[in-house]
Amino acid sequence: MYSAIKDYNIFISSAQNYGNANADSKADADLYAGEALCFRAYSYMELVRHFAKAYNAATASSDLGVPLVVAYNQLDKPHRATVAKVYEQIKADLDQAASLGIADKKGKLRSELVTADVLNMLYARYYLDTKNNEKAAEYAEKVINSEAEYVVSSNADYK
């Protein structure tokens, strides 16, 4: 995961620099950076869920999570951040991805690109992990009621 996060960090920085230097390509560069932010948020979500204590609002600010690395620095030796800080970063990445255009990309079945439905699924998972069930349900319903009309299979044979 950290190898992928390194690549996402480099890509996010490069896409933002490219977009700022090339006005004609800024919208595309922002969209690509937004996709990488979603991937980074997902990566940190998986890391913190597997290698730290479960989120508990009472102890999240003192429970050790995983190292946070949001900018590439080969010489950096990151220390473990708290569970609260990791989830703050996940939320920040999702919010930034939404503001860069991902929230406006309509979902479609078998999409190979990050869409609003992916973003909403990540928000739902974030809110479920942080014990905000109302917000988790709100974002999950956005995916369930998507124009893409995803189907939930009742068995493994559904194609």
Side-chain angles (χ1 to χ4, degrees):
M1 286 286 192
Y2 280 105
S3 177
I5 289 170
K6 173 192 62 96
D7 292 341
Y8 301 143
N9 289 339
I10 292 169
F11 187 85
I12 291 163
S13 176
S14 298
Q16 290 171 336
N17 289 340
Y18 181 80
N20 291 336
N22 298 284
D24 294 343
S25 301
K26 178 140 179 59
D28 287 337
D30 284 348
L31 203 55
Y32 299 142
E35 289 184 351
L37 285 159
C38 284
F39 291 133
R40 184 170 75 184
Y42 172 77
S43 297
Y44 274 117
M45 202 175 297
E46 288 297 304
L47 285 168
V48 75
R49 290 177 72 229
H50 286 91
F51 298 108
K53 289 183 179 181
Y55 185 90
N56 177 339
T59 61
S61 61
S62 60
D63 289 339
L64 288 177
V66 296
L68 272 178
V69 182
V70 295
Y72 177 68
N73 179 348
Q74 187 172 350
L75 301 176
D76 197 18
K77 295 180 181 171
H79 298 285
R80 290 173 69 184
T82 64
V83 170
K85 289 286 184 194
V86 175
Y87 276 100
E88 286 171 17
Q89 185 62 51
I90 291 166
K91 177 76 164 56
D93 283 353
L94 296 176
D95 290 345
Q96 188 176 2
S99 73
L100 291 174
I102 299 297
D104 300 326
K105 286 183 65 178
K106 291 190 186 260
K108 68 178 186 174
L109 289 175
R110 295 176 176 49
S111 176
E112 294 179 1
L113 302 173
V114 177
T115 66
D117 293 337
V118 172
L119 181 66
N120 290 330
M121 179 276 304
L122 290 170
Y123 270 123
R125 181 80 248 182
Y126 163 82
Y127 284 118
L128 191 63
D129 284 358
T130 58
K131 313 292 190 267
N132 187 336
N133 294 336
E134 287 181 21
K135 287 293 247 182
E138 175 188 328
Y139 281 96
E141 285 179 7
K142 288 180 181 185
V143 178
I144 292 166
N145 298 324
S146 169
E147 291 178 17
E149 298 180 350
Y150 302 110
V151 177
V152 177
S153 176
S154 61
N155 61 56
D157 296 328
Y158 178 78
K159 296 186 179 167

Short mmCIF file of all heavy atoms in Angstrom, two decimals, residues 74-96:
data_model
loop_
_atom_site.label_atom_id
_atom_site.label_comp_id
_atom_site.label_asym_id
_atom_site.label_seq_id
_atom_site.Cartn_x
_atom_site.Cartn_y
_atom_site.Cartn_z
N GLN A 74 11.92 11.04 -0.06
CA GLN A 74 12.68 9.81 0.06
C GLN A 74 13.40 9.70 1.41
O GLN A 74 13.63 8.61 1.92
CB GLN A 74 13.68 9.71 -1.09
CG GLN A 74 14.41 8.39 -1.14
CD GLN A 74 15.26 8.27 -2.40
OE1 GLN A 74 15.15 9.08 -3.30
NE2 GLN A 74 16.10 7.25 -2.44
N LEU A 75 13.74 10.82 2.00
CA LEU A 75 14.50 10.81 3.25
C LEU A 75 13.62 10.84 4.49
O LEU A 75 14.11 10.68 5.61
CB LEU A 75 15.46 12.00 3.28
CG LEU A 75 16.47 12.05 2.12
CD1 LEU A 75 17.30 13.31 2.19
CD2 LEU A 75 17.35 10.81 2.11
N ASP A 76 12.33 11.01 4.31
CA ASP A 76 11.41 11.10 5.44
C ASP A 76 11.29 9.76 6.16
O ASP A 76 11.33 8.70 5.54
CB ASP A 76 10.03 11.55 4.94
CG ASP A 76 9.15 12.07 6.04
OD1 ASP A 76 9.68 12.42 7.12
OD2 ASP A 76 7.92 12.14 5.82
N LYS A 77 11.19 9.82 7.47
CA LYS A 77 10.99 8.62 8.29
C LYS A 77 9.73 8.85 9.12
O LYS A 77 9.81 9.25 10.28
CB LYS A 77 12.20 8.36 9.17
CG LYS A 77 13.43 8.04 8.34
CD LYS A 77 14.63 7.78 9.20
CE LYS A 77 15.80 7.49 8.26
NZ LYS A 77 17.05 7.44 8.91
N PRO A 78 8.57 8.60 8.52
CA PRO A 78 7.31 8.95 9.19
C PRO A 78 7.04 8.06 10.41
O PRO A 78 7.43 6.89 10.45
CB PRO A 78 6.26 8.72 8.12
CG PRO A 78 6.87 7.73 7.19
CD PRO A 78 8.34 7.99 7.22
N HIS A 79 6.39 8.67 11.38
CA HIS A 79 5.96 7.97 12.58
C HIS A 79 4.47 7.70 12.47
O HIS A 79 3.77 8.31 11.66
CB HIS A 79 6.26 8.81 13.82
CG HIS A 79 7.72 9.09 14.01
ND1 HIS A 79 8.61 8.15 14.47
CD2 HIS A 79 8.44 10.21 13.79
CE1 HIS A 79 9.81 8.67 14.53
NE2 HIS A 79 9.75 9.92 14.11
N ARG A 80 3.99 6.81 13.30
CA ARG A 80 2.57 6.49 13.28
C ARG A 80 1.75 7.71 13.71
O ARG A 80 2.05 8.35 14.71
CB ARG A 80 2.29 5.32 14.21
CG ARG A 80 2.84 4.01 13.68
CD ARG A 80 2.71 2.89 14.66
NE ARG A 80 1.31 2.51 14.85
CZ ARG A 80 0.94 1.59 15.72
NH1 ARG A 80 1.81 0.98 16.47
NH2 ARG A 80 -0.35 1.29 15.83
N ALA A 81 0.74 8.00 12.95
CA ALA A 81 -0.20 9.05 13.29
C ALA A 81 -1.31 8.43 14.13
O ALA A 81 -1.47 7.20 14.17
CB ALA A 81 -0.79 9.67 12.02
N THR A 82 -2.09 9.26 14.78
CA THR A 82 -3.22 8.72 15.54
C THR A 82 -4.31 8.28 14.58
O THR A 82 -4.36 8.70 13.41
CB THR A 82 -3.80 9.77 16.50
OG1 THR A 82 -4.34 10.86 15.73
CG2 THR A 82 -2.74 10.28 17.48
N VAL A 83 -5.19 7.44 15.07
CA VAL A 83 -6.32 6.98 14.27
C VAL A 83 -7.15 8.19 13.82
O VAL A 83 -7.58 8.26 12.66
CB VAL A 83 -7.18 5.97 15.08
CG1 VAL A 83 -8.49 5.67 14.38
CG2 VAL A 83 -6.39 4.70 15.33
N ALA A 84 -7.33 9.16 14.70
CA ALA A 84 -8.10 10.37 14.34
C ALA A 84 -7.44 11.11 13.18
O ALA A 84 -8.13 11.55 12.25
CB ALA A 84 -8.24 11.28 15.56
N LYS A 85 -6.13 11.27 13.22
CA LYS A 85 -5.42 11.99 12.14
C LYS A 85 -5.55 11.24 10.81
O LYS A 85 -5.69 11.86 9.75
CB LYS A 85 -3.94 12.19 12.50
CG LYS A 85 -3.70 13.18 13.58
CD LYS A 85 -3.90 14.59 13.06
CE LYS A 85 -3.55 15.59 14.15
NZ LYS A 85 -4.03 16.91 13.83
N VAL A 86 -5.47 9.93 10.85
CA VAL A 86 -5.59 9.15 9.61
C VAL A 86 -6.99 9.35 9.02
O VAL A 86 -7.13 9.60 7.82
CB VAL A 86 -5.28 7.65 9.86
CG1 VAL A 86 -5.53 6.84 8.58
CG2 VAL A 86 -3.85 7.47 10.34
N TYR A 87 -8.01 9.26 9.85
CA TYR A 87 -9.36 9.45 9.34
C TYR A 87 -9.60 10.89 8.90
O TYR A 87 -10.33 11.13 7.93
CB TYR A 87 -10.41 8.99 10.36
CG TYR A 87 -10.66 7.50 10.25
CD1 TYR A 87 -10.07 6.61 11.14
CD2 TYR A 87 -11.44 6.98 9.23
CE1 TYR A 87 -10.28 5.24 11.03
CE2 TYR A 87 -11.65 5.61 9.10
CZ TYR A 87 -11.07 4.75 10.01
OH TYR A 87 -11.27 3.40 9.87
N GLU A 88 -8.97 11.85 9.54
CA GLU A 88 -9.05 13.25 9.08
C GLU A 88 -8.46 13.37 7.67
O GLU A 88 -9.00 14.08 6.82
CB GLU A 88 -8.32 14.19 10.03
CG GLU A 88 -9.03 14.44 11.33
CD GLU A 88 -8.17 15.20 12.34
OE1 GLU A 88 -7.14 15.82 11.94
OE2 GLU A 88 -8.51 15.18 13.54
N GLN A 89 -7.34 12.69 7.43
CA GLN A 89 -6.71 12.74 6.11
C GLN A 89 -7.58 12.05 5.06
O GLN A 89 -7.70 12.53 3.94
CB GLN A 89 -5.31 12.09 6.15
CG GLN A 89 -4.57 12.21 4.84
CD GLN A 89 -4.32 13.65 4.45
OE1 GLN A 89 -3.81 14.42 5.26
NE2 GLN A 89 -4.66 14.03 3.23
N ILE A 90 -8.18 10.94 5.43
CA ILE A 90 -9.07 10.24 4.50
C ILE A 90 -10.20 11.18 4.09
O ILE A 90 -10.50 11.34 2.90
CB ILE A 90 -9.62 8.95 5.14
CG1 ILE A 90 -8.50 7.92 5.29
CG2 ILE A 90 -10.79 8.39 4.32
CD1 ILE A 90 -8.85 6.75 6.20
N LYS A 91 -10.82 11.83 5.06
CA LYS A 91 -11.93 12.76 4.78
C LYS A 91 -11.45 13.94 3.94
O LYS A 91 -12.12 14.35 2.98
CB LYS A 91 -12.54 13.25 6.10
CG LYS A 91 -13.67 14.26 5.95
CD LYS A 91 -14.95 13.63 5.51
CE LYS A 91 -16.18 14.49 5.70
NZ LYS A 91 -16.17 15.78 5.08
N ALA A 92 -10.29 14.47 4.24
CA ALA A 92 -9.74 15.59 3.47
C ALA A 92 -9.49 15.18 2.02
O ALA A 92 -9.78 15.94 1.09
CB ALA A 92 -8.44 16.09 4.12
N ASP A 93 -8.95 13.97 1.81
CA ASP A 93 -8.72 13.49 0.45
C ASP A 93 -10.04 13.34 -0.31
O ASP A 93 -10.13 13.73 -1.48
CB ASP A 93 -7.98 12.15 0.47
CG ASP A 93 -6.50 12.28 0.76
OD1 ASP A 93 -5.99 13.41 0.84
OD2 ASP A 93 -5.84 11.23 0.92
N LEU A 94 -11.04 12.79 0.35
CA LEU A 94 -12.35 12.62 -0.31
C LEU A 94 -12.97 13.97 -0.63
O LEU A 94 -13.51 14.17 -1.74
CB LEU A 94 -13.28 11.79 0.57
CG LEU A 94 -12.85 10.34 0.82
CD1 LEU A 94 -13.82 9.66 1.78
CD2 LEU A 94 -12.74 9.57 -0.49
N ASP A 95 -12.89 14.91 0.30
CA ASP A 95 -13.45 16.24 0.07
C ASP A 95 -12.74 16.94 -1.09
O ASP A 95 -13.37 17.58 -1.94
CB ASP A 95 -13.35 17.10 1.33
CG ASP A 95 -14.29 16.65 2.43
OD1 ASP A 95 -15.23 15.86 2.17
OD2 ASP A 95 -14.09 17.11 3.58
N GLN A 96 -11.42 16.81 -1.14
CA GLN A 96 -10.67 17.44 -2.22
C GLN A 96 -10.99 16.78 -3.56
O GLN A 96 -11.14 17.45 -4.57
CB GLN A 96 -9.16 17.40 -1.94
CG GLN A 96 -8.37 18.21 -2.95
CD GLN A 96 -6.88 18.25 -2.63
OE1 GLN A 96 -6.41 17.64 -1.68
NE2 GLN A 96 -6.15 18.97 -3.47
#
